[in-house]
């Protein structure tokens, strides 16, 4: 978490204790950093134990991950795990037990867990990430224009919620069924991806959908590992019900290990430059599978 400072423990409203959220919802303020081609990163104010800082919101990570640091070196070890990023490189991590993990609300109660299993990875392994499993059992909106998340007791909706496609061998990641041109596919819902990405195999099989921008470039995954890519503009992504994004920039590379993790039906990663064009209603309390709904932002092209 960055930056860090020690605090006196706070009283938290925890899902584990069934405390629920405040009437009218709990609102968490988001902060963004922006980059080329409409890219960006999303951060939330977070607290683990007595340590407060910011964490990168990463729904493309199935679990929460922190770097080894003085504040977490004594957390009890529960087991071993591995973290694989877009570069395809795998980092060995320890699973540890953290207590009183929460994201801080500007209105209403904080949202958190009394006990939470997280991955502690070596120092220098990229930013601290708040993963998708933190939101299990939660219902909330993700509003990029207002820069906030709002948590509700009831399921939020904009009209017609759709089921997420559960991805990966353990079904812990979520994707959206969509169309690119005439091709039906699934896109990983990934707030941790600065730019959207596509498997080079899909580009090679659907050349008419892509206009080349750069033949060679380098990027870093969430673990800080670099990988090479090409840059294209994808003509159209259609999420259904008139939710169409045109001319979006995408990184193209051989998904490799990522392809194995997501499955062949998901050759696309929906990153910040797509997700930020919509407001989202997400229900991870719904019966298997969870659901999503979206409406275009007022400033969306």
């Amino acid at each position: 978490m960055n930056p860090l400072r020690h605090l006196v423990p706070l009283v938290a409203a925890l899902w584990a204790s069934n405390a629920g959220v405040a009437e009218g919802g709990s609102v968490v303020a988001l902060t963004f950093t922006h980059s080329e081609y409409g890219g960006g990163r999303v951060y939330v104010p977070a607290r683990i134990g007595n340590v407060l800082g910011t964490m990168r919101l990463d729904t493309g990570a199935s679990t929460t991950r922190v770097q080894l640091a003085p504040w977490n070196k004594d957390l009890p070890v529960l087991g071993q795990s591995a973290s694989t990023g877009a570069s395809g490189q795998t980092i060995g991590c320890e699973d540890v037990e953290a207590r009183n993990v929460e994201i801080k609300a500007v209105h209403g109660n904080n949202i958190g867990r009394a006990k939470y299993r997280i991955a502690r990875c070596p120092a220098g392994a990229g930013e601290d990430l708040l993963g998708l499993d933190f939101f299990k059992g939660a219902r909330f909106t993700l509003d990029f224009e207002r820069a906030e998340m709002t948590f509700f007791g009831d399921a939020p909706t904009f009209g017609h919620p759709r089921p997420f496609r559960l991805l990966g061998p353990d079904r812990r990641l979520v994707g959206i069924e969509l169309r690119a041109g005439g091709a039906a596919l699934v896109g990983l819902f990934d707030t941790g991806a600065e730019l959207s990405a596509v498997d080079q195999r899909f580009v090679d099989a659907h050349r008419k959908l892509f206009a080349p921008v750069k033949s060679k470039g380098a990027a870093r995954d969430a673990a800080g590992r670099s990988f090479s890519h090409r840059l294209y503009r994808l003509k159209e992504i259609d999420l259904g019900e008139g939710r169409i994004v045109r001319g979006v920039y995408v990184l193209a590379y051989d998904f490799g290990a990522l392809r194995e993790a997501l499955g062949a039906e998901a050759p696309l990663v929906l990153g910040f430059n797509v997700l930020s064009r919509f407001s989202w209603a997400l229900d991870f309390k719904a019966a298997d599978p969870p659901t999503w709904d979206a409406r275009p932002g007022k400033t969306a092209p």
Side-chain angles (χ1 to χ4, degrees), residues 121-234:
C121 301
E127 295 183 279
D128 294 342
L129 307 175
L130 188 67
L132 187 65
D133 68 338
F134 180 84
F135 300 99
K136 184 178 181 180
R139 292 166 167 160
F140 60 97
T141 57
L142 178 59
D143 192 320
F144 284 88
E145 286 191 337
R146 296 174 64 91
E148 64 187 26
M149 305 170 73
T150 303
F151 291 79
F152 301 93
D154 297 326
T157 180
F158 298 141
H160 300 91
R162 294 187 174 188
F164 275 114
R165 175 78 70 87
L166 299 179
L167 301 175
D170 53 11
R171 294 164 54 89
R172 291 194 296 170
L173 295 172
V174 296
I176 290 176
E177 296 177 347
L178 52 86
R179 300 191 70 85
L185 64 151
V186 177
L188 175 69
F189 187 91
D190 188 359
T191 60
E194 196 162 339
L195 278 178
S196 298
V198 62
D199 193 341
Q200 185 65 50
R201 288 188 182 182
F202 185 83
V203 177
D204 295 340
H206 302 84
R207 287 285 181 182
K208 292 183 179 181
L209 297 178
F210 298 90
V213 178
K214 276 187 179 182
S215 61
K216 189 175 182 180
R220 292 185 180 273
D221 63 18
R225 306 293 180 89
S226 62
F227 62 98
S228 59
H229 67 270
R230 298 176 180 177
L231 183 67
Y232 293 89
R233 292 194 78 168
L234 174 53

Side-chain angles (χ1 to χ4, degrees), residues 63-283:
T63 59
T64 290
R65 190 187 75 203
V66 298
Q67 296 184 73
L68 176 64
W71 67 268
N72 63 46
K73 66 181 179 63
D74 295 324
L75 295 179
V77 177
L78 302 175
Q80 305 295 318
S81 63
S83 177
T84 302
S87 67
Q89 300 184 58
T90 298
I91 302 170
C93 305
E94 294 179 317
D95 286 345
V96 298
E97 183 181 274
R99 292 177 178 267
N100 297 332
V101 179
E102 60 185 23
I103 52 178
K104 289 180 61 59
V106 292
H107 300 292
N109 298 320
N110 294 341
I111 303 298
R113 294 185 176 274
K115 292 183 180 180
Y116 183 40
R117 185 177 183 131
I118 64 175
R120 182 176 61 197
C121 301
E127 295 183 279
D128 294 342
L129 307 175
L130 188 67
L132 187 65
D133 68 338
F134 180 84
F135 300 99
K136 184 178 181 180
R139 292 166 167 160
F140 60 97
T141 57
L142 178 59
D143 192 320
F144 284 88
E145 286 191 337
R146 296 174 64 91
E148 64 187 26
M149 305 170 73
T150 303
F151 291 79
F152 301 93
D154 297 326
T157 180
F158 298 141
H160 300 91
R162 294 187 174 188
F164 275 114
R165 175 78 70 87
L166 299 179
L167 301 175
D170 53 11
R171 294 164 54 89
R172 291 194 296 170
L173 295 172
V174 296
I176 290 176
E177 296 177 347
L178 52 86
R179 300 191 70 85
L185 64 151
V186 177
L188 175 69
F189 187 91
D190 188 359
T191 60
E194 196 162 339
L195 278 178
S196 298
V198 62
D199 193 341
Q200 185 65 50
R201 288 188 182 182
F202 185 83
V203 177
D204 295 340
H206 302 84
R207 287 285 181 182
K208 292 183 179 181
L209 297 178
F210 298 90
V213 178
K214 276 187 179 182
S215 61
K216 189 175 182 180
R220 292 185 180 273
D221 63 18
R225 306 293 180 89
S226 62
F227 62 98
S228 59
H229 67 270
R230 298 176 180 177
L231 183 67
Y232 293 89
R233 292 194 78 168
L234 174 53
K235 289 185 178 179
E236 181 179 288
I237 298 173
D238 186 353
L239 305 183
E241 298 186 10
R243 294 171 292 211
I244 298 174
V245 179
R246 294 185 174 89
V248 65
Y249 291 97
V250 292
L251 305 179
Y253 56 92
D254 184 348
F255 273 19
L258 187 60
R259 186 187 308 121
E260 295 179 9
L262 299 180
E265 77 275 19
L268 183 66
V269 174
L270 299 174
F272 182 93
N273 62 328
V274 170
L275 301 182
S276 62
R277 302 193 188 196
F278 299 91
S279 294
W280 299 88
L282 308 175
D283 185 0

